[in-house]
């Protein structure tokens, strides 16, 4: 406020000479812009001596008129970027300077960053061990799309490249570093998986790790609708670039618009046995079927929900017996829409059904049923099971080992 009042006072004194006032005002406006401009000024260049003592090098220089002086190559010249945002996406052709800018970021933040490529994981490590607390581990794994009982117990060496990438990214998020740097971001993954991982990563980062920043670089330019970066830099050759600043993160899920839910008993049975049963931890045989809902993504089946009869005598309650999404599509926020739409189709097709219920342990870690509109009702195990567990523990017998050891 003091600076502003001083400027106004000085302008009023010089009001007799418009030309002087104009020049003074432009100069002050420029200085005020610099004062409040929080962008970082970056200049990166290299001095390169192309011609050495070699006779062949000197011959080439003479032939093309290059001369013998040291050449200066500018990569970034008077480049300004706001480093107060959260997600940065650097893209452009190979050799344009994306990795050089990441190197600048690492040098600027020094001990505060973690490089994705430097994360080392023991091949024997089981995924559930990522946190000290088991409940925390499962919640974190669910957040990055690794929500599966088989995956919890899997060793790192046995999971796919896409799953390894998610796990390493989660390691970065859980580290004590506030800056995450990823070069060649998702470059080795198929493009659908890369888009899914990008969307999942930005959701997790914004919801649970708002104190961390992410800097990624890749030649692939198809990820911004999914990564939803606050700053998008498209680096061209030389010092050319385009810089886009996102005013507000989009809230619409980019995958939902490509999804379609249908009911099909016969097709569902075939797909259950051929595609989806292998990803479910319970028995593959299902009895008392009512109907099967299928989720298509771009006309490809990626999810299934199996509805069966509940145990009430009126037979007016349908029970969700199985819910499976292909592993690649987990964690992107489409499961609750799939559940909601499936239940609507069931109610429309079967007027006698007045409610849909389910019994699920996963909801303790991932409340996707509640997001779909289900009411959570606590389900307690039979008392005799609890009593048996207490008795066995009093005899120093592991209840869970006792259940599987037939000897």
């Amino acid at each position: 406020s003091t600076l502003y009042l001083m400027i106004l006072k000085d302008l009023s004194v010089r009001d007799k000479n418009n030309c002087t006032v104009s020049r003074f005002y432009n100069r002050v406006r420029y200085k005020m812009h610099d004062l409040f401009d929080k962008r970082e000024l970056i200049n990166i260049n290299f001095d390169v001596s192309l011609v050495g003592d070699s006779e062949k090098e000197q011959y080439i220089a003479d032939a093309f008129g290059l001369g013998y002086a040291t050449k200066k190559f500018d990569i970034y010249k008077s480049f300004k970027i706001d480093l107060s945002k959260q997600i940065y996406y650097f893209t452009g052709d190979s050799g344009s300077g994306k990795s050089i800018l990441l190197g600048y970021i690492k040098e600027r933040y020094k001990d505060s960053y973690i490089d994705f490529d430097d994360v080392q994981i023991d091949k024997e490590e089981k995924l559930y061990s990522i946190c000290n607390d088991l409940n925390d581990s499962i919640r974190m794994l669910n957040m990055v799309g690794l929500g599966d009982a088989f995956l919890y117990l899997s060793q790192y060496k046995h999971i796919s490249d896409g799953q390894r990438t998610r796990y390493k990214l989660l390691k970065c998020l859980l580290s004590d570093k506030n800056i995450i740097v990823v070069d060649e971001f998702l470059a080795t993954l198929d493009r659908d998986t890369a888009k899914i991982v990008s969307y999942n990563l930005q959701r997790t980062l914004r919801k649970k790790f708002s104190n961390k920043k992410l800097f990624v670089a890749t030649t692939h330019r198809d990820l911004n609708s999914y990564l939803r970066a606050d700053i998008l830099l498209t680096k061209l050759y030389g010092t050319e670039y385009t810089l886009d600043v996102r005013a507000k993160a989009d809230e619409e899920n980019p995958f939902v618009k490509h999804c379609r839910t249908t009911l099909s008993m016969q097709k569902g049975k075939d797909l259950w046995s051929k595609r989806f049963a292998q990803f479910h931890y319970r028995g593959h045989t299902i009895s008392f079927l009512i109907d099967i809902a299928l989720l298509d993504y771009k006309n490809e089946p990626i999810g299934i929900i199996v509805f069966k009869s509940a145990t009430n005598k009126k037979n007016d309650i349908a029970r969700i017996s199985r819910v499976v999404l292909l592993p690649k599509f987990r964690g992107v926020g489409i499961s609750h829409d799939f559940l909601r739409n499936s239940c609507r189709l069931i109610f429309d097709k079967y007027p006698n059904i007045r409610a849909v219920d389910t019994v699920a342990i996963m909801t303790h870690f991932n409340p996707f049923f509640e997001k779909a509109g289900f009411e959570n009702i606590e389900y307690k195990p039979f008392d005799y099971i609890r009593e048996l567990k207490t008795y066995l523990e009093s005899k120093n017998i592991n209840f869970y080992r006792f259940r599987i050891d037939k000897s």
Side-chain angles (χ1 to χ4, degrees), residues 41 130 238 274 312 347 390:
L41 179 64
I130 194 166
K274 293 177 181 178
N312 68 320
F347 289 135
T390 302

Side-chain angles (χ1 to χ4, degrees), residues 204-241:
T204 304
L205 196 65
R206 288 188 165 106
K207 287 184 177 181
K208 300 296 182 180
F209 298 94
S210 58
N211 63 319
K212 295 182 182 285
K213 296 179 184 292
L214 174 69
F215 295 85
V216 306
T218 177
T219 57
H220 296 284
R221 307 187 186 196
D222 58 346
L223 299 179
N224 196 43
S225 296
Y226 304 88
L227 187 62
R228 297 178 172 178
D230 300 303
I231 302 288
L232 168 63
L233 168 68
T234 303
K235 185 64 175 67
L236 308 174
Y237 285 109
T239 58
E240 289 186 82
Y241 65 88

